[in-house]
Amino acid sequence: MRQVIIVGNWKMNASKEATNILVMEILSGMVDVKSKVIVCVPFPYMAQVEALVGCSQLNLGAQDLNLNKSGAFTGEVSVDMIKDFGARYVIVGHSERRSLYFENNEIVAQKVQVALNSNLTPLLCIGELLEDRDSGKTQEVVSEQIQAVIDLVGINAFKNIIIAYEPVWAIGTGITATPHQAQDIHAFIRSMLAKHDDNISQITPIIYGGSMNPRNAAELMDCRDIDGGLIGGASLKAQDFLQICKAS
């Protein structure tokens, strides 16, 4: 049975005071949380969060990584820097990285490989634009995104990858895919993995990342192939985030 995974993506939202309050409130409410919980925080606050979470059940992750180990890459952060703060997870290929910073499928696949080579677990984000869905290309787009990773790292690597399906049209818009829509794509993703290895398809966690909130979390996660959520705005409100964590 796959473990439920809830990931908070703070994006570019934080301050020292707000971080302290948010993490402490989350920690205080996690006594009866059974799911794996990860918070992916902005780089400047990783040391602060590392100290706050200590040996708790709250896991630390980063929001991106550079392909290079070190060197003249001003403003970038390497996997070794991420690991230096005790982080074990990193978001790769988020839709904002793809659209705003022009990361294509090949770059995303390379980042997955770099993360895996350094024993970081990639949270591989995939998903279609509204025009893709409207033109019936959802499966085609998702297939290309996943296949680029399979081609580079192989299907066995998915033992150490978390897939996050995030329909771009539902991110930050308040519009959420219906449980039926989300389940259909999650099932398609799992069937695609199964073409390469059925066992891998059954153990790979696939979480949903499109405006999940306390009101819809339970219904979405009740779907057979939805194993948790990648949470944006709601992860910045401790009580909302905890409700989602407990909805599973």
Side-chain angles (χ1 to χ4, degrees):
M1 185 175 180
R2 297 181 298 270
Q3 183 179 17
V4 173
I5 301 170
I6 306 296
V7 183
N9 177 17
W10 294 4
K11 304 191 179 184
M12 199 173 70
N13 298 289
S15 69
K16 286 196 290 186
E17 180 181 7
T19 294
N20 188 72
I21 293 171
L22 178 57
V23 173
M24 294 308 293
E25 287 184 351
I26 292 172
L27 288 172
S28 68
M30 288 193 66
V31 177
D32 54 351
V33 171
K34 301 295 188 285
S35 53
K36 179 184 287 293
V37 182
I38 305 163
V39 287
C40 294
V41 310
F43 292 127
Y45 300 95
M46 290 185 70
Q48 182 182 359
V49 176
E50 178 191 24
L52 289 169
V53 301
C55 296
S56 72
Q57 67 189 101
L58 190 59
N59 298 276
L60 176 59
Q63 297 179 8
D64 188 32
L65 62 103
N66 188 270
L67 290 172
N68 301 279
K69 294 280 284 184
S70 62
F73 304 99
T74 301
E76 294 296 298
V77 174
S78 71
V79 287
D80 287 342
M81 293 175 179
I82 292 169
K83 290 174 64 179
D84 213 14
F85 292 98
R88 294 160 47 202
Y89 303 87
V90 59
I91 296 173
V92 177
H94 191 278
S95 61
E96 291 156 6
R97 299 298 311 178
R98 292 177 187 264
S99 63
L100 299 177
Y101 302 99
F102 310 109
E103 293 186 4
N104 59 28
N105 292 339
E106 289 68 35
I107 291 174
V108 172
Q110 290 168 24
K111 287 192 172 187
V112 168
Q113 184 178 51
V114 168
L116 290 171
N117 287 346
S118 296
N119 296 315
L120 283 175
T121 298
L123 300 159
L124 169 63
C125 296
I126 60 174
E128 82 282 14
L129 300 170
L130 180 60
E131 51 263 40
D132 296 324
R133 173 168 283 273
D134 288 345
S135 59
K137 293 183 178 180
T138 294
Q139 293 188 2
E140 177 184 339
V141 170
V142 167
S143 294
E144 290 173 353
Q145 292 170 338
I146 295 176
Q147 193 61 49
V149 177
I150 294 174
D151 289 344
L152 186 62
V153 303
I155 189 63
N156 284 332
F158 281 77
K159 294 177 182 176
N160 300 304
I161 294 174
I162 299 168
I163 297 176
Y165 167 63
E166 43 164 25
V168 182
W169 48 272
I171 300 173
T173 62
I175 302 170
T176 309
T178 66
H180 177 73
Q181 288 174 321
Q183 165 59 24
D184 277 353
I185 301 303
H186 280 241
F188 169 75
I189 294 166
R190 206 171 298 285
S191 71
M192 184 182 176
L193 297 177
K195 291 178 181 178
H196 297 271
D197 189 301
D198 186 60
N199 181 59
I200 294 293
S201 76
Q202 294 305 312
I203 65 175
T204 300
I206 307 174
I207 64 177
Y208 174 76
S211 295
M212 185 181 284
N213 57 59
R215 294 178 298 281
N216 60 29
E219 189 176 12
L220 283 163
M221 287 189 282
D222 193 45
C223 295
R224 176 179 177 179
D225 291 297
I226 298 179
D227 303 317
L230 176 60
I231 316 302
S235 71
L236 299 171
K237 301 174 182 177
Q239 295 310 309
D240 285 357
F241 189 57
L242 286 167
Q243 278 188 255
I244 294 171
C245 292
K246 294 173 182 178
S248 60

